[in-house]
Amino acid sequence: MHDWLVEYLSKHRTVTVDMPFTSYTYIADPVNVEHVLKTNFTNYPKGDVYRSYMHVLLGDGIFNADGELWRKQRKTASFEFASKNLRDFSAIVFREYSLKLSSILSQASKAGKIVDMQELFMRMTLDSICKVGFGVEIGTLSPDLPENSFAQAFDAANIIVTLRFIDPLWRLKRSLHVGSEALLQQSIKLVDEFTYSVIRRRKAEIVEARASGKQEKGNEQIKHDILSRFIELGEAGGDGRDFVDDKSLRDVVLNFVIAGRDTTATTLSWFTYMAMSHPDVAEKLRRELTAFEAERAREEGVALVPCGPDADDESFAARVAQFASLLSYDSLGKLVYLHACVTETLRLYPAVPQDPKGILEDDVLPDGTKVKAGGMVTYVPYSMGRMEYNWGADAASFRPERWINDDGAFRNASPFKFTAFQAGPRICLGKDSAYLQMKMALAILCRFYRFQLLEGHPVTYRMMTILSMAHGLKVRVSRAA
């Protein structure tokens, strides 16, 4: 469907599909997108249809809320996401799990083993997001790649609620408690049991810490994960009073996990595929990373461990760890070409390829298209990145250089043209966090490994709300030190 829309939107910019009781309008012109996402924002909420489909998983969290409920959560979350404590804690966590992934790849390289990079990225992002969100270690990226009941239930629930959008019988299945809806209820039960147990345990830890004098109320934070912060905000009153009960805390944290897990893993997978498909880009990126490594080592007075392609495992791991220690939020900002490569991947393979909005009242878009109350208008990031009227004649080409100015600085684009992180009042709060995690992992992987697509492996997207790969990403991996 995504490529079908590319064909139509390249000719018409706006496509309207009339149905018996409603209509669906698809837009790719930045002027129309700005109207929907910003200028007339209040007329285009998530909508009752979207909320009813997703409520069982997202609840009343920020991803599923509209109106005053959304505004309150957005205000609180904006403040928290801007905090240096959360950013520094996230950097530590992302580095830790990037190194765990590196260790798995190192062993796969040594054994000549084929790996599914999308599966590994999904495990890495789930583990790291749960650590940042809940403050707990769930261990799916352990060397033996164990199964985890929470992870399995979370994935099943995510897939089934997405299928509701194309399954006209889902409400009947739910009422009869059969098929996919029966599995959904079982999955939600497991997800909730895990989430509520973590919430209760964390609340008890905070009480215990205060009782033992480790933390004075209103003084130093006990932990920097998102759950702990929102528990403390709920106790503080004010705008935080909405987060007193366990259900609200459950919705906050699960929305964060859902928003940040699949989207990041999917982008990392497409990036890896793009790097394999464009060896000139991969080589240019490797040169940037090795130059960065040498410069940062000089600045820090670090003597780098000698590490050639035939280095023993201990020396190789030590060199990778040294390199990782040189990566921080600030130092990653110097890797302009890496940032451009990630952004170019998101332009062509946005994690959310379509984003539908409800329509409260009849309206006319800037290009003259009339939209009716009760219908849906969908901006289409997947199509927008491929439109020549947005990006020029080479719109379909993967060319990271388009994001770099003549002076070598990164060139930003209008968020209404580059819509991978949405735009307007709902622009993604986790944008900086996503870039931090992706650049942390990719700096390590692209510096120390080379990837080769398994012969005959098909790379196509799955028709879901997230642009994941339908068959994973099977590759051979080798060390490149």
Side-chain angles (χ1 to χ4, degrees), residues 58 61-62 73 129-130 132-135 150 154 194-195 198-199 225-228 230-231 246-260:
L58 298 177
I62 193 169
Q73 291 193 57
I129 290 295
C130 283
V132 173
F134 291 121
F150 168 75
F154 177 82
F194 172 82
T195 307
V198 172
I199 290 170
D225 62 89
I226 289 173
L227 173 59
S228 296
F230 274 90
I231 289 173
D246 290 357
K247 171 64 167 60
S248 298
L249 291 167
R250 175 258 189 213
D251 292 349
V252 165
V253 179
L254 278 185
N255 272 249
F256 173 73
V257 172
I258 289 164

Side-chain angles (χ1 to χ4, degrees), residues 155-165 180-181 183-184 187 464:
D155 286 343
N158 222 343
I159 290 168
I160 295 168
V161 294
T162 302
L163 291 175
R164 284 179 167 185
F165 286 89
S180 58
E181 289 294 316
L183 177 58
L184 176 60
S187 301
M464 302 285 286

Side-chain angles (χ1 to χ4, degrees), residues 76 217 230-244:
T76 305
K217 187 168 182 178
F230 274 90
I231 289 173
E232 292 184 335
L233 285 168
E235 294 174 340
D239 287 336
R241 63 182 177 273
D242 295 308
F243 309 110
V244 173

Side-chain angles (χ1 to χ4, degrees), residues 295-441:
E295 180 185 346
R296 287 285 294 126
R298 281 195 303 272
E299 291 172 354
E300 298 293 327
V302 172
L304 294 170
V305 175
C307 181
D310 300 321
D312 61 84
D313 291 355
E314 188 176 339
S315 297
F316 182 79
R319 180 63 173 266
V320 175
Q322 275 188 322
F323 179 74
S325 71
L326 301 173
L327 301 173
S328 65
Y329 178 85
D330 292 328
S331 69
L332 282 166
K334 297 178 181 180
L335 295 169
V336 176
Y337 195 66
L338 174 60
H339 194 89
C341 289
V342 174
T343 306
E344 182 72 345
T345 301
L346 283 163
R347 182 182 72 87
L348 288 172
Y349 298 97
V352 181
Q354 301 180 21
D355 193 358
K357 305 291 182 184
I359 305 170
L360 289 182
E361 298 178 358
D362 292 357
D363 194 15
V364 180
L365 302 180
D367 68 355
T369 301
K370 295 178 180 178
V371 293
K372 295 289 185 182
M376 301 282 282
V377 60
T378 300
Y379 72 96
V380 192
Y382 184 90
S383 294
M384 293 181 72
R386 288 166 164 73
M387 297 297 102
E388 292 188 5
Y389 54 76
N390 287 338
W391 298 99
D394 66 347
S397 301
F398 181 79
R399 192 173 66 83
E401 288 75 12
R402 76 176 75 244
W403 296 96
I404 300 175
N405 288 321
D406 293 339
D407 63 359
F410 185 79
R411 174 190 296 146
N412 284 302
S414 163
F416 303 105
K417 183 172 84 168
F418 173 66
T419 51
F421 293 97
Q422 208 173 159
R426 274 193 184 264
I427 195 166
C428 178
L429 285 172
K431 177 181 177 180
D432 286 349
S433 179
Y435 268 114
L436 174 61
Q437 180 171 23
M438 290 190 286
K439 291 195 293 185
M440 183 76 74

Side-chain angles (χ1 to χ4, degrees), residues 72-113:
K72 283 184 177 181
Q73 291 193 57
R74 177 81 186 192
K75 180 181 177 183
T76 305
S78 296
F79 178 76
E80 290 305 315
F81 271 83
S83 76
K84 187 175 184 301
N85 283 338
L86 179 60
R87 190 186 75 190
D88 291 347
F89 175 59
S90 298
I92 292 168
V93 171
F94 296 156
R95 183 185 299 111
E96 175 189 350
Y97 289 103
S98 295
L99 285 171
K100 287 187 177 186
L101 176 58
S102 174
S103 178
I104 289 171
L105 293 176
S106 178
Q107 293 306 308
S109 170
K110 187 177 178 182
K113 184 180 174 184

